[in-house]
Amino acid sequence: MTPEERDEIKALFERRNGLIELSKILTADNNDLYEKIVKDMGQTGSKFQDWWDTMAQKYQWESAVGGNWEIDFNKCQIFLVAP
């Protein structure tokens, strides 16, 4: 993967993690903020999955039943983790 592709998924990864952490500290009395976070989490999750789907097809990454891909952000490399 290219450095640009790495940067794209890294930004989505960090955003998703930030939204998850924010949702953990959000109180129930702030419904407007809650709705915004839920919407953003859905959009970010979709973009995250779309990136993986697009890159998997582009680079023809191998897969395994029960396995998942992980990223080494420093080396711009994807590797398969199989059970």
Side-chain angles (χ1 to χ4, degrees):
M1 103 179 117
T2 67
E4 292 79 16
E5 291 165 343
R6 180 222 31 220
D7 293 346
E8 183 181 355
I9 193 62
K10 187 175 182 184
L12 290 169
F13 178 79
E14 290 172 349
R15 182 173 189 87
R16 186 184 67 165
N17 287 347
L19 288 167
I20 290 169
E21 290 302 313
L22 183 58
S23 72
K24 291 178 182 178
I25 62 170
L26 188 63
T27 60
D29 61 334
N30 196 337
N31 193 47
D32 289 340
L33 183 56
Y34 174 79
E35 292 299 324
K36 287 179 183 179
I37 291 172
V38 168
K39 182 178 178 182
D40 198 355
M41 286 177 74
Q43 291 171 341
T44 301
S46 292
K47 290 177 184 176
F48 190 81
Q49 188 60 52
D50 289 346
W51 184 93
W52 281 106
D53 294 343
T54 300
M55 294 301 119
Q57 185 174 24
K58 177 180 179 179
Y59 292 110
Q60 297 296 300
W61 292 333
E62 65 180 287
S63 61
V65 175
N68 63 290
W69 297 309
E70 293 190 5
I71 300 175
D72 181 330
F73 288 114
N74 294 325
K75 295 180 181 179
C76 290
Q77 293 180 332
I78 303 293
F79 53 96
L80 178 64
V81 177

